[in-house]
Amino acid sequence: MGRMRNLERLRTGGSGSKMTVGVPPPRTPSGRVYRYSPKEDAHPRHFLLGEVNAKFTIVDAARSRMKLEPRSPQTVCPYSGYVGLDAEFNHPDDMKAAVELVKHAAMSDVEEMLASAFKGLNNRSSRNSLVRIEAKVSSRPRPKPRFSRRDLLREMECDHCGRDYGVYAIALFCPDCGAPNLRLHFSRECKLVGEQVELADTLSSDRQELAYRLLGNAHEDVLTAFEATLKVAYHYALSQRPEIKAKPVKNEFQNVDFGRDRFSAFDFDPYDNLSADELAVLRLNIQKRHIIGHNLGVVDAKFAKQATDAKIGETVHLIGQDIIQFASIGQKVIDRLDEWIGGTTSPKPLNPPAPVPDGPAADKKDNQQMSDTEIDIDVSSLAKKIGTWIATTSEFGLPDPIGGNDIEQAFAGEEARLVEEALAELEAEGLLTSTALMNAKFPRVRPTLDLFAVFDPVVVGFTPFIDAGELIDLILDGTMDSVRLSDLHEKTGWAIRRFNPAVSYVISLIEDGRVSGETGSHPYPVRYFSVAAPDRVEMRAFLKRTRGS
């Protein structure tokens, strides 16, 4: 029997008739090979593994975050963190390709041996023989199978070990060393957003509509990547703590408070490294994304009450630097998540967050220094000061009476006539009601819910309209027809000052006959209310009005 020359090219071991063959996997144009996680729940399982950056130096501090020594005969699933032998990660398509290559080599060898065996047979047979045997062997060789592999969209290089790889979805870990790569993945998204902003800035003045679309897409991409990264980290945390039972995730990570509530099951707050100003900017940009994505960029009542420079019906303002700042603050949150997953801070710092411009912090209380432009209402500066003072000094966010003497004392430096006019301005705007009293310089006033809607975004950093929507989500997701305010308050974890204005909006949507009387004492406006079908219809209509969808 002749030699199996084609198979021997694939030989990796063995002796005699027992040959061991090996086939290198097909590579992408950039030299990466397909890998496939053996964990069925590690969606999407598919990833690519490339070469190592020869100039990369591994520092000792990085090793503390690794799951295994780089370049070992093991692989880490970037989606789940599972560690297994390299062979476990062979891609099914590559194994099929290997079988085809071995089959082709074997068939080629057989054809060559047959051709050799029958060579000259025709010449040895006499033409005058009674029986003539003629053999025909095809000289056309079978083409060798070819397998193409494509590079993936998200190309990465681990900043701990220098391994090049590609993934379909968000990668939690490097497939070579297993170091957390969550922050690296989000940083790549931020870089792409920055390139979109740069592209928009290069467009001429006659292409501003296109520039706005590019900026809008860039802004939306930030929140999409931010939400997806938080969700991936949360699901990974759940996989490590099977004793924690959780409802399926919806869109909670498009909301700071709901996201906090999800991670509270692990006694962790991914936002705890943000300043008050950074948190306020993050909240505003999350809401801005909803306006761009669901309302074609047109400002509605909810957003106008949160953004001090926004007017209802106008197009939301987009500035490239604001988008970069949004991405940078998001990066700071993801860095905190990466630290939590890895147990230590990465020794490789990424781009620091952009500074937040001077402006109202989420917990700002200095109402006397507040700029007139920060309160979006057409009244005098003194009226704004009084309204801000009322919102700031309100302990419970309820329409509690404020005596004329208290007003006189708080604004003793102002001319009495101007204070009276300022109070009248606020009343004309529906922000308070007043009752004149004998022998008193100023009337007794009560704030309305609208006063908190106008002033709370600046004074306490929360918008009752938006918060009411979150309460409605909780109510509609529940199964009880009766809602006790103390129970609803406990579910939110909010301060009472934030909860009451929001729940007052919800109560305004309920039929009067299904709302209990006032508590007679603090801290809630009523004790409980019942929810019937007409009320659910009203609440859904409220969500559609305020969310624009």
Side-chain angles (χ1 to χ4, degrees), residues 363-399:
D363 57 353
K364 188 169 183 177
K365 303 295 182 182
D366 187 10
N367 60 82
Q368 299 300 327
Q369 300 300 320
M370 194 168 291
S371 167
D372 288 350
T373 61
E374 294 176 11
I375 303 297
D376 188 18
I377 184 174
D378 189 17
V379 295
S380 66
S381 177
L382 181 55
K384 291 181 181 180
K385 287 182 179 180
I386 294 175
T388 303
W389 171 74
I390 293 173
T392 302
T393 57
S394 176
E395 183 179 1
F396 296 102
L398 294 173

Side-chain angles (χ1 to χ4, degrees), residues 94-115:
D94 286 350
M95 289 189 284
K96 291 178 182 178
V99 171
E100 290 297 319
L101 285 169
V102 172
K103 185 189 297 184
H104 174 270
M107 290 299 295
S108 298
D109 285 335
V110 170
E111 289 176 356
E112 287 181 10
M113 285 189 289
L114 287 174

Side-chain angles (χ1 to χ4, degrees), residues 119-163:
K119 184 177 182 181
L121 177 62
N122 296 336
N123 294 332
R124 292 195 298 268
S125 299
S126 172
R127 294 182 179 182
N128 298 322
S129 299
L130 182 63
V131 177
R132 177 179 173 80
I133 300 175
E134 183 175 352
K136 291 184 178 181
V137 180
S138 174
S139 61
R140 183 181 300 169
R142 296 173 181 267
K144 183 179 180 180
R146 303 291 177 181
F147 303 95
S148 64
R149 296 290 183 260
R150 294 180 298 172
D151 285 296
L152 299 182
L153 180 62
R154 295 178 176 88
E155 299 176 354
M156 315 279 286
E157 181 181 302
C158 177
D159 60 354
H160 287 62
C161 74
R163 171 69 74 174

Side-chain angles (χ1 to χ4, degrees), residues 486-506:
S486 57
D487 294 338
L488 184 61
H489 182 205
E490 184 178 354
K491 284 184 179 180
T492 65
W494 296 346
I496 191 67
R497 175 61 180 81
R498 177 184 180 186
F499 176 77
N500 278 337
V503 81
S504 295
Y505 266 112
V506 179

Side-chain angles (χ1 to χ4, degrees), residues 114 226 305 467 501 547:
L114 287 174
F226 184 68
K305 287 181 170 59
D467 287 344
R547 292 177 176 173

